[in-house]
Amino acid sequence: MEILRKHKIGIICGGWSSERAISLKSGYSVCEALMKSEYNCELIDLDNERTAFSKETYNNIDIAFILVHGRGGEDGKLQNFFENINLNFTGSDSKSSNIGMDKIKTKKIWKKEGINYPEFIEFNDNFEDILKLNQKVVVKPANEGSSFGISIIENNKVALKKAINDAKKYDEKVLIENFINGIELTVAILDEKAFNPIEIIPNSDYYDFNAKYLSNQTIYREAKLNKEQKSYLQNQALHSFKTLGCSGWGRVDLIFNGDDFYFLEVNTVPGMTETSLVPKAASFSGLAFINLLEKILLKSIA
């Protein structure tokens, strides 16, 4: 990739959100791979907002490989700053990043586009409406990743109050959605193409923080879908990604109950650790980690 060798690449990671530790792992993983292939790169750890939004931090780089998960890096703020200083960066633009980070904004757009998702209610002291949802529900902070603040509970007022308080530790906006019993799937997106869906089998009730980053017992495999199901899912996943304005690369998460696909959320800055899903999807399709990184970087200067 000679064109990339003409550029200095900054691996932008860290941040100040609850996902800082995971972001650093992603950053080190990408930096190590690029350095091993002798690319001109450096790791930039953004440990505070002043550093993050200072032009001097990026004086020596031509491309910003954004790996800051969560607030600041995944909500459009960093993207907006890079747009203003005319610095090339990976992934979606500021507007679509902001939408993709917010599960409520995302689902409102999906509703207009006819994309299927679990019925949900935004919390506003509206317990009577929430209690009309299914017997089992999922409580989530609207703007958070890595499964922080998520609870799967029986739909009653006592359990709801506790779960909502837990979610509010991460975000003031909280949504409550119907629990869908099924298999967890994810579809990685790269350059307007969808990889084969991956099934996630955690050794726990759901794919929580421990199953994502700490457990060695989580199973990842290509989803066992027939040809028509797989084709439909790939098309819908790409549509759900693009309808938010997202581009470059990312990931779409969903649940399949055997009959229908229920889309949950979009990730515009997915993890890039050794257990992360986008690298796994790429490897299942025969794309090596370094080649995945090159394709992501090339898209940023296209």
Side-chain angles (χ1 to χ4, degrees):
M1 295 290 179
E2 288 308 309
I3 189 170
L4 288 177
R5 298 192 185 279
K6 297 175 183 177
H7 295 80
K8 176 72 175 289
I9 303 163
I11 296 96
I12 317 299
C13 60
W16 50 93
S17 78
S18 55
E19 297 185 75
R20 173 175 168 77
I22 304 306
S23 173
L24 287 171
K25 283 188 176 183
S26 291
Y28 289 133
S29 177
V30 169
C31 190
E32 182 182 16
L34 290 173
M35 290 181 71
K36 192 177 288 186
S37 292
E38 299 183 342
Y39 281 101
N40 185 11
C41 62
E42 69 171 287
L43 187 136
I44 300 175
D45 176 6
L46 305 180
D47 59 359
N48 61 78
E49 291 188 62
R50 183 178 176 184
T51 300
F53 301 111
S54 170
K55 190 174 180 179
E56 287 69 31
T57 302
Y58 313 101
N59 274 345
N60 298 321
I61 67 168
D62 305 307
I63 305 172
F65 198 131
I66 300 177
L67 290 167
V68 178
H69 309 317
R71 295 179 188 278
E74 203 163 356
D75 57 8
K77 290 181 181 177
L78 202 55
Q79 291 82 355
N80 183 64
F81 180 73
F82 290 158
E83 287 164 356
N84 288 334
I85 66 171
N86 295 311
L87 177 63
N88 293 313
F89 61 89
T90 56
S92 297
D93 65 15
S94 58
K95 183 179 179 182
S96 56
S97 296
N98 179 265
I99 294 169
M101 180 75 179
D102 189 318
K103 298 175 182 67
I104 294 171
K105 287 182 181 177
T106 292
K107 287 179 168 65
K108 286 179 178 178
I109 291 175
W110 283 353
K111 183 177 183 178
K112 294 177 183 176
E113 294 292 328
I115 294 167
N116 193 42
Y117 55 82
E119 183 181 350
F120 80 98
I121 292 175
E122 181 177 357
F123 177 67
N124 187 25
D125 289 322
N126 46 349
F127 285 103
E128 294 309 311
D129 292 332
I130 295 168
L131 290 168
K132 294 174 184 176
L133 291 173
N134 287 355
Q135 185 177 351
K136 199 170 186 180
V137 293
V138 185
V139 180
K140 301 177 177 180
N143 292 273
E144 192 56 67
S146 294
S147 299
F148 288 114
I150 291 180
S151 302
I152 299 176
I153 60 167
E154 294 298 316
N155 190 4
N156 62 71
K157 204 164 184 178
V158 173
L160 280 169
K161 283 184 174 180
K162 183 182 183 306
I164 288 165
N165 285 336
D166 288 342
K168 283 200 167 192
K169 294 173 185 175
Y170 298 94
D171 189 28
E172 275 303 305
K173 289 174 66 178
V174 174
L175 71 151
I176 298 91
E177 66 185 16
N178 282 336
F179 172 78
I180 305 298
N181 189 28
I183 60 174
E184 298 192 53
L185 301 177
T186 191
V187 180
I189 307 292
L190 176 64
D191 197 12
E192 298 196 6
K193 293 180 182 178
F195 283 103
N196 288 333
I198 290 180
E199 179 181 355
I200 304 157
I201 308 171
N203 188 27
S204 55
D205 290 339
Y206 71 104
Y207 191 45
D208 59 9
F209 182 88
N210 182 70
K212 287 179 179 177
Y213 303 115
L214 303 177
S215 175
N216 60 4
Q217 297 183 354
T218 302
I219 297 169
Y220 304 93
R221 67 186 185 193
E222 288 199 48
K224 295 181 178 180
L225 304 171
N226 63 42
K227 186 177 178 180
E228 290 76 17
Q229 288 172 328
K230 186 169 80 169
S231 176
Y232 173 80
L233 175 52
Q234 286 175 308
N235 287 334
Q236 280 293 97
L238 187 58
H239 179 51
S240 71
F241 187 73
K242 292 176 69 176
T243 197
L244 303 183
C246 298
S247 61
W249 73 298
R251 205 183 75 225
V252 180
D253 299 336
L254 62 141
I255 298 287
F256 179 49
N257 71 351
D259 296 312
D260 297 305
F261 297 105
Y262 291 84
F263 288 81
L264 301 177
E265 63 180 276
V266 159
N267 292 272
T268 56
V269 185
M272 277 293 198
T273 69
E274 63 275 6
T275 60
S276 295
L277 291 163
V278 173
K280 284 185 184 298
S283 68
F284 287 163
S285 295
L287 186 65
F289 188 51
I290 185 61
N291 300 130
L292 169 66
L293 300 181
E294 289 169 340
K295 286 179 177 291
I296 292 170
L297 286 163
L298 280 173
K299 185 68 177 176
S300 72
I301 57 174

